[in-house]
Amino acid sequence: MSIWWSLHLRREAASVPLARRLLIGTMETAGVDPDISFDLSVALSEACANAVEHGGDDGAGGPGEAYRVTAYLDGERCRIEVADTGPGFPAPVPGGPQGVARPASPEAESGRGLCLIRELADHVHIGSAPGRAGAVVSFDKVLKWRENAPLVAV
């Protein structure tokens, strides 16, 4: 069985726990192991927080006031994508550090979100949206199921 949903959220701090609760509720209802649900919900919170903070610079009412979250529970895997309309990630500089998720210094108050997502998920893709402005963070994780899970993949 497959479940998917997509949300179009305002770039406001209150949208982060909303997305997280919807994901946890979906996985709990489906019978996903609570540890897997927790890992994915933390990763989703980090990706949403980044979209809220960095995801757009349009004026009031513009498309930069929102971001999109899509989640797929398909078979034995959950895939989550968070896309915004901000400036995206800078292109790599030849000869410079590669990748957009560089470790933050221990004293930094921010900058750990993308690294945390990489630690919690099995596969992560972080980049800019092809053909338009914005960043896309997508990640997935193999699911484990509770015993007698109602929607377990067969």
Side-chain angles (χ1 to χ4, degrees):
M1 169 168 269
S2 297
I3 300 171
W4 72 270
W5 50 261
S6 186
L7 300 171
H8 188 79
L9 298 167
R10 293 181 66 76
R11 286 184 44 243
E12 297 173 352
S15 69
V16 177
L18 173 66
R20 182 177 177 147
R21 283 191 303 265
L22 182 58
L23 179 66
I24 288 173
T26 301
M27 290 193 288
E28 184 178 292
T29 301
V32 174
D33 179 85
D35 291 337
I36 299 296
S37 296
F38 179 77
D39 286 353
L40 286 169
S41 70
V42 171
L44 174 63
S45 295
E46 293 295 333
C48 289
N50 283 346
V52 167
E53 184 174 348
H54 307 291
D57 52 6
D58 293 340
E65 285 192 3
Y67 67 102
R68 180 179 39 89
V69 176
T70 306
Y72 306 90
L73 277 75
D74 189 21
E76 295 295 320
R77 184 168 301 278
C78 178
R79 177 175 169 80
I80 298 170
E81 180 178 283
V82 177
D84 63 46
T85 57
F89 293 101
V93 177
Q98 298 301 306
V100 293
R102 294 187 252 333
S105 73
E107 301 83 32
E109 292 185 22
S110 63
R112 294 184 182 90
L114 295 176
C115 293
L116 186 57
I117 293 168
R118 286 192 192 279
E119 290 297 318
L120 294 170
D122 294 333
H123 299 97
V124 179
H125 176 76
I126 300 169
S128 296
R132 65 176 180 83
V136 178
V137 176
S138 62
F139 51 94
D140 61 59
K141 189 167 185 83
V142 173
L143 298 174
K144 293 179 185 170
W145 300 90
R146 295 188 321 254
E147 191 173 322
N148 300 320
L151 298 179
V152 70
V154 266

